[in-house]
Amino acid sequence: MDKIENIPRHIAIVMDGNGRWARAKRRPRFMGHKKGVDAVREIVRECGALKIECLTLFAFSSENWKRPEEEIKNLMGLFMLALDREAKSMARNNVQLQIIGDLSFFSEKLQKKIKQVEELTAHCNGLRLIVAANYGGRWDITETTKALAKKVASGEMDADLISEEDISAQLTTAGLPDPDLFIRTGGEVRISNFLIWQMAYAELYFTDVLWPDFDKDELHKAIRNYSSRQRRFGKTSEQVIADKAMTSN
Ligand code: IPE
Ligand code: IPE
Ligand code: MG
């Protein structure tokens, strides 16, 4: 990719369209998920090469339990397999893995594997790869509310002084910059309860490309599109231009 300015620090992706990819090829949905793992590998590698700081991937939503039992079983199996197979190469490529979501719903075996891979890559200081599994934005905020309420009840915190930063610091994404660029593949134009608090000011990018077909060229397209936008955060366009001139001097 040619050198581009304004590379996002944090990209968050809803990897959608695996099922339709498989259906179009008259193959079982599971094949789409399997191909989806290949796309994950390519995108993770490319984000590392582009020096993106954080990549958050939505792998399984808190709503996805509503799917047929067979598909859930297949997805869990695939998750386990991918963790197993990719762990060493993540560590080798300096990728730090973190899983966010309510992991208590997963089997003991899968929970153990997650912990193992997180520990194996904990020392890595390259790309931070965050995989959202059994994740829901509302769940994250609800858990945060409970934790803060407990702190208030115990006297550790003053309710009137709770700030936006306190909330951010209590979410599962504590310590990460908010996503700059949100990408959703698969043609749907919705957030589906992803990082709803954290994405308050993210730039949104939707593409019809199905996740198994989302490759590094598609990623470059999304990043280029992002870098051509002016992020104003409430200011006027003129103010943003003036601010930029000041900082580049
Ligand atoms: C996204 O692909 C993967 C998961 C939700 C696990 P889908 O399985 O939702 O694919 P479509 O939307 O049916 O094509
Ligand atoms: C969102 O995809 C969650 C993941 C990609 C893991 P879905 O395909 O489940 O989203 P909805 O329910 O159609 O919005
Ligand atoms: Mg879908």
Side-chain angles (χ1 to χ4, degrees):
M1 189 166 77
D2 339 319
K3 187 105 187 79
I4 48 173
E5 267 180 69
N6 309 325
I7 287 256
R9 288 180 71 189
H10 185 171
I11 301 180
I13 308 183
V14 174
M15 310 182 288
D16 197 18
N18 293 350
R20 279 161 287 161
W21 182 92
R23 200 171 52 210
K25 295 192 155 44
R26 298 181 186 283
R27 287 153 90 181
R29 290 179 58 87
F30 175 60
M31 289 307 292
H33 297 313
K34 244 178 109 182
K35 273 304 271 190
V37 176
D38 295 340
V40 168
R41 199 177 298 114
E42 176 166 342
I43 296 308
V44 168
R45 194 171 301 151
E46 191 57 16
C47 283
L50 293 171
K51 300 273 185 283
I52 304 285
E53 285 176 44
C54 310
L55 172 66
T56 303
L57 300 175
F58 207 1
F60 193 86
S61 75
S62 42
E63 289 72 32
N64 286 144
W65 296 107
K66 294 178 194 152
R67 293 197 177 195
E69 212 174 299
E70 181 72 14
E71 179 161 348
I72 294 175
K73 219 176 102 205
N74 282 334
L75 282 167
M76 294 301 148
L78 200 57
F79 193 25
M80 186 79 188
L81 194 72
L83 284 171
D84 216 26
R85 286 205 182 143
E86 307 296 330
K88 286 207 181 84
S89 99
M90 281 192 276
R92 220 180 312 117
N93 292 302
N94 206 15
V95 173
Q96 187 191 86
L97 180 76
Q98 185 189 342
I99 311 288
I100 57 168
D102 188 353
L103 305 185
S104 67
F105 280 51
F106 295 141
S107 70
E108 291 274 328
K109 208 171 141 204
L110 185 53
Q111 290 186 46
K112 232 171 106 187
K113 181 95 248 162
I114 288 171
K115 221 170 141 217
Q116 224 178 52
V117 184
E118 283 182 335
E119 278 166 11
L120 185 77
T121 62
H123 67 283
C124 297
N125 59 6
L127 175 71
R128 288 185 75 168
L129 174 62
I130 299 102
V131 173
N134 192 22
Y135 180 85
R138 287 183 173 178
W139 165 81
D140 207 354
I141 295 169
T142 306
E143 292 304 303
T144 292
T145 307
K146 285 186 209 165
L148 294 180
K150 281 181 195 158
K151 285 185 183 173
V152 170
S154 72
E156 193 186 323
M157 230 175 184
D158 180 339
D160 288 323
L161 297 179
I162 294 176
S163 65
E164 293 186 4
E165 288 72 24
D166 291 329
I167 295 174
S168 293
Q170 194 66 56
L171 291 164
T172 54
T173 48
L176 303 172
D178 283 339
D180 302 296
L181 170 60
F182 164 88
I183 299 174
R184 183 173 186 140
T185 62
E188 311 296 350
V189 188
R190 53 179 175 254
I191 310 278
S192 298
N193 195 19
F194 196 20
L195 304 161
I196 46 179
W197 169 277
Q198 298 88 333
M199 280 176 22
Y201 245 117
E203 294 295 328
L204 310 182
Y205 178 87
F206 297 93
T207 171
D208 288 337
V209 174
L210 303 172
W211 176 252
D213 292 327
F214 193 83
D215 58 11
K216 63 180 188 181
D217 290 341
E218 291 297 334
L219 177 70
H220 295 171
K221 224 190 268 179
I223 295 176
R224 261 197 218 98
N225 181 296
Y226 165 86
S227 69
S228 70
R229 301 185 192 184
Q230 186 185 53
R231 301 185 79 188
R232 290 193 278 276
F233 298 103
K235 294 184 180 177
T236 67
S237 188
E238 291 74 15
Q239 284 176 299
V240 175
I241 293 166
D243 287 351
K244 211 172 160 207
M246 282 266 280
T247 52
S248 62
N249 274 339

